[in-house]
Amino acid sequence: MVREFKLPDVGEGVAEGELLEWHVEPGDQVTEDQVVAEVETDKAVVDVPAPVNGTVRELLAEPGDVVPVGEVIITFDVEGEESAETAAEADDGESAGEATDAGATAPESSGESGGAAAETAESSVNGKGGRVFAAPSARRLARELGVDIAAVDGAGPGGRVTEADVRAAEGDAGGTEGGAAGSEAGESDDGKQLKSAVSRIDDGESGDGKSSGGDGLKSAVSRVDDGESGDGTGSDEGGAAASRAAGATSVEAAGRERTLAAPATRKVADELGVAIDDVPTDEVRDGQAFVDEAAVREYAEAQRQAQEADAEALASAESAGDTGAEPAAGAEPAGAAERDAARTVDAAEGDRREPYKGVRKTIGQAMERAKFTAPHVTHHDKVDATALVETREKLKERADEQGVKLTYVPFVMKAVAAALDEHPVLNTQLDEDNEEIVFRGDRNVGVATATDAGLMVPVVDDVDEKGLLRLASETNELVAKARERSIAREEMQGGTFTITNFGAIGGEYATPIINYPETAILGLGAIEERPMAVDGEVVARDVLTLSLSVDHRVIDGADAARFVNTLKEYLEDPTLLLLE
């Protein structure tokens, strides 16, 4: 039997992954749980294990392809079970028999099982001898419009067929499919359906028909509906318009608090200036609304039509001397076009572009959220680290004997954990929904790590309960895994406070961005010899610079200063850590 394996759902809202590398080839023998591929999500790189013992039959994606969760990426031949062709023939025969017994005479009378069978058939091969790559929503739309998905040329990543491709193919086919789509939408008049749907976007469900923008919109959409002929014979455009209208019937339900979408879909929404929470959808994943790229483009097109109609209506009103007309709520505000243009960067000769996606984009979004959610205040100070340097030198040889590289970071982690005991407000998170400050009982310290993919933050749990060598060993291991991109998501979760050591690269002071939803992050500068006044004399001392950023909604400047003062005490005299 041929066993299909779909890209698994790794949770946390991840909707797709980029295939990085195959570890097997067709014909290879595999065992259950053997790693067959590496996939990069917008969270991390994950290994994909084989679900069965068998032989690799076919690889259905290429390295570099972005594959939606739930799409088949590989098939296996499993011994001792019937072949896929035999099973398919048997299923077709049984389905035909059941349809005859039930007296089914039209495709509309078939149930869910029929739809599932059709989808299975569509997912096998296309008319060109290859497999059809298409999202379930695109397959469903193809069935609704009567389009042979095997004949559709996919314009998506890796040749994937999107809803837009299906609609384009349906439009090329002409006539009757458009009418059928309009009937399924519950309207015999395609034009009215689209006018009604987009008019709700235009005039905010006023329904009074008095808005000049609404009238203009109806006029504009009417031209789309009847192909500019004015005689209602433009059935190709009418069918496609009705399909868009069917997707827009839930416009009034938009404005959600949370929407699941693939990173690529969010990028399209940003490029088109669409708020993804406003895009209507009837798809749900994990109990949350899910929006795909086709839905975003449809919604953007509806908005564009509304805006054009508003502009036409306003121009008509002004030419007639009616200066009191106001644009509808959906109209583009003045200066919006200029702002959109500013978001686009023109590349000159010699410039290089690379995709802003995956882990890099996730890091950027997290930084943006942290910076613009938590009001940052940074407290700068310096500490005489001469004793710290001497203590590390004494212990370094002992650590080397045990195979552990001992840096200054474990000392700082222990000092931070001790200082948090005395100043717990810096070990907090702000629960905005419940309007509560959560004082965390754990001392889980994240260590910001520079990698080729961007900044990652491995978390060392229970720092207050571990010795220096164990902290050093765990930290080194986690940092190495982060740089190798083999770190698990759970190893970067649960932090209560973060340390970033920019001094390892070079630097004195900085303004670290808080690892939201934490409320504080400590930046370490380089330890360098500097002149300091000691007992009235200027002498050379090893000095460590500190930069503490805090969320000013929770932590006052005085709290930050007191925390740093306590931290300095432990770093200036590391023997105090023996009491902890």
Side-chain angles (χ1 to χ4, degrees), residues 344-367:
T344 302
V345 179
D346 295 329
E349 184 177 355
D351 293 346
R352 179 174 62 87
R353 289 178 178 266
E354 61 181 38
Y356 179 52
K357 63 180 182 179
V359 175
R360 176 72 269 175
K361 186 173 182 180
T362 300
I363 293 169
Q365 291 171 339
M367 292 291 185

Side-chain angles (χ1 to χ4, degrees), residues 194 197-198 200-201 242-252 280 298-299 302:
L194 180 57
V198 184
R200 287 198 295 276
I201 301 175
S243 299
R244 290 194 298 271
T249 54
S250 60
V251 169
E252 63 273 18
E298 290 169 23
Y299 182 66

Side-chain angles (χ1 to χ4, degrees), residues 391 570 573-579:
T391 301
Y570 286 108
D573 185 2
T575 59
L576 295 175
L577 296 174
L578 298 176
L579 302 176

Side-chain angles (χ1 to χ4, degrees), residues 23 28 53 164 252 277 326 328 361 383 410 423 448 450 480 489-490 538-539 556:
H23 293 300
D28 287 353
N53 297 324
E252 63 273 18
D277 290 332
E326 297 181 359
K361 186 173 182 180
V383 56
H423 307 280
R489 293 188 312 278
E490 54 269 20
V538 177
V539 296
D556 295 331

Side-chain angles (χ1 to χ4, degrees), residues 542-566:
D542 291 310
V543 176
L544 169 64
T545 54
L546 306 174
S547 300
L548 176 70
S549 290
V550 298
D551 184 342
H552 213 350
R553 297 174 300 174
V554 179
I555 302 169
D556 295 331
D559 294 322
R562 294 188 188 101
F563 173 83
V564 170
N565 288 339
T566 301

